[in-house]
Amino acid sequence: MFDAYYHVARKYFTLVPFAVSPLTFFVDAPFGRFTPEKDSILLVDGIKSWIIMELVSPVVFLATLLTSSSLLASPPQLLLAALYLIHYTNRSVLSPLRTPSRSKSHISVPLSAVFFNTINGALMGTYLSSPAACAFLARAHTRPIFWAGIGLWTLGFAGNIWHDEILLNLRRKARTKGKDKASSASGEHYAIPHGWLYTYVSYPNYLCEWLEWLGFALAAAPLPALLSLSSFTDLVLAIKAPAPTFAPSLTPPYIFLLSEVLLMLPRAVRGHAWYHRRFGPAYPRERRAVIPFLL
């Protein structure tokens, strides 16, 4: 029964972002700079709601590991579990506690994040403690791709923190100068960030997070096989495949990476357009949204 739930979650956690992603190129998620201007009982505290919704992932991940029939059996498994928990300790606790202020968020945002993080935490914990992961990681230290993945995760994690700190410093300086209550409808101050990857893209923190989870996936799981889809019929048949046989080589670490790119890319594109509308000619024209020189 548990295996059936795992495969159903794995299948639809892959497919749903493909359906949602195109819509979010036209609809803004109601938080941050896109917080609704009119106050409402549906708007919740930005920092508290962020902590709650992001804590769900490590809690579910850890609970899944601890209740698994097969405990983590190798140092690589323990290392990967630690990296997952380190990321979410920073994301759910340390980062919001360093934030001087955050716009209110529509209740739909934390609710949808709780749903996403519950499924993702369970899938990642289930995979990492599975016999398949145990077998793959038993000789991980002999594979260069494992250490390349760990290095890429470390680089992405450090970049994520560094670029978030640039944004937080802008907000801290605004608060010191008393600007934070008069710069936007949400009560937050927005300015043009500069330095490091902000030279090239508007959302380097997104790019660095993708690098993190690409590195994690490379270290944690075999590369998934490409589906052979030569026609629309093949695509329909692949989607309709029973959950246990749906893309069998596509494991949760790669599903998580795919979901992140599909769901965050539209936000980066819309946020990049917002920067141009807000700052006009003052905003660097050479910057792209999230991928240097391309997009």
Side-chain angles (χ1 to χ4, degrees):
M1 179 65 73
F2 182 81
D3 284 346
Y5 286 133
Y6 168 77
H7 287 298
V8 169
R10 188 179 65 84
K11 175 179 180 178
Y12 288 101
F13 201 61
T14 303
L15 294 178
V16 169
F18 279 100
V20 172
S21 182
L23 299 177
T24 53
F25 276 103
F26 305 97
V27 179
D28 293 317
F31 74 103
R33 58 181 54 85
F34 299 118
T35 295
E37 295 185 13
K38 187 176 180 181
D39 201 9
S40 158
I41 60 171
L42 296 179
L43 295 181
V44 296
D45 183 89
I47 292 179
K48 292 177 183 176
S49 62
W50 182 274
I51 292 173
I52 292 170
M53 74 188 196
E54 294 298 337
L55 268 176
V56 169
S57 188
V59 168
V60 173
F61 175 78
L62 198 55
T64 304
L65 290 179
L66 295 176
T67 57
S68 172
S69 58
S70 53
L71 297 177
L72 301 186
S74 67
Q77 285 174 287
L78 291 170
L79 174 59
L80 289 166
L83 295 185
Y84 190 92
L85 294 173
I86 288 170
H87 171 89
Y88 275 101
T89 298
N90 176 68
R91 186 173 176 83
S92 63
V93 179
L94 301 181
S95 178
L97 291 181
R98 296 199 318 271
T99 303
S101 63
R102 190 185 291 266
S103 302
K104 288 186 176 181
S105 173
H106 193 277
I107 188 64
S108 61
V109 173
L111 288 178
S112 60
V114 165
F115 180 74
F116 179 94
N117 287 330
T118 299
I119 297 175
N120 186 61
L123 282 174
M124 295 287 275
T126 300
Y127 169 75
L128 197 57
S129 59
S130 69
C134 184
F136 177 76
L137 293 169
R139 296 180 57 82
H141 64 283
T142 66
R143 299 187 180 100
I145 195 170
F146 175 83
W147 297 109
I150 297 300
L152 190 59
W153 183 93
T154 304
L155 182 65
F157 181 70
N160 203 332
I161 292 176
W162 185 260
H163 291 97
D164 277 349
E165 200 64 24
I166 291 175
L167 293 180
L168 293 179
N169 280 334
L170 289 176
R171 198 165 294 177
R172 293 178 188 123
K173 291 176 182 177
R175 168 162 285 200
T176 300
K177 296 177 180 179
K179 295 180 180 179
D180 59 326
K181 297 301 180 184
S183 299
S184 72
S186 64
E188 296 298 332
H189 173 74
Y190 291 100
I192 301 174
H194 293 281
W196 294 78
L197 289 179
Y198 279 111
T199 303
Y200 306 103
V201 294
S202 296
Y203 284 83
N205 46 344
Y206 284 18
L207 177 61
C208 289
E209 187 161 336
W210 296 348
L211 292 178
E212 266 190 84
W213 296 116
L214 172 59
F216 188 96
L218 289 172
L223 288 168
L226 294 177
L227 291 177
S228 178
L229 302 175
S230 58
S231 68
F232 181 74
T233 302
D234 289 341
L235 175 62
V236 172
L237 290 175
I239 293 173
K240 288 184 175 180
T245 60
F246 172 80
S249 67
L250 189 58
T251 53
Y254 284 100
I255 295 171
F256 182 30
L257 172 64
L258 180 64
S259 298
E260 285 235 320
V261 173
L262 287 171
L263 298 176
M264 294 166 71
L265 179 61
R267 295 210 302 266
V269 170
R270 291 190 66 83
H272 181 67
W274 178 91
Y275 271 118
H276 278 283
R277 290 196 304 271
R278 175 137 185 129
F279 297 105
Y283 197 72
R285 295 180 58 85
E286 66 277 6
R287 281 191 196 177
R288 297 294 182 260
V290 67
I291 302 176
F293 311 113
L294 295 177
L295 179 64

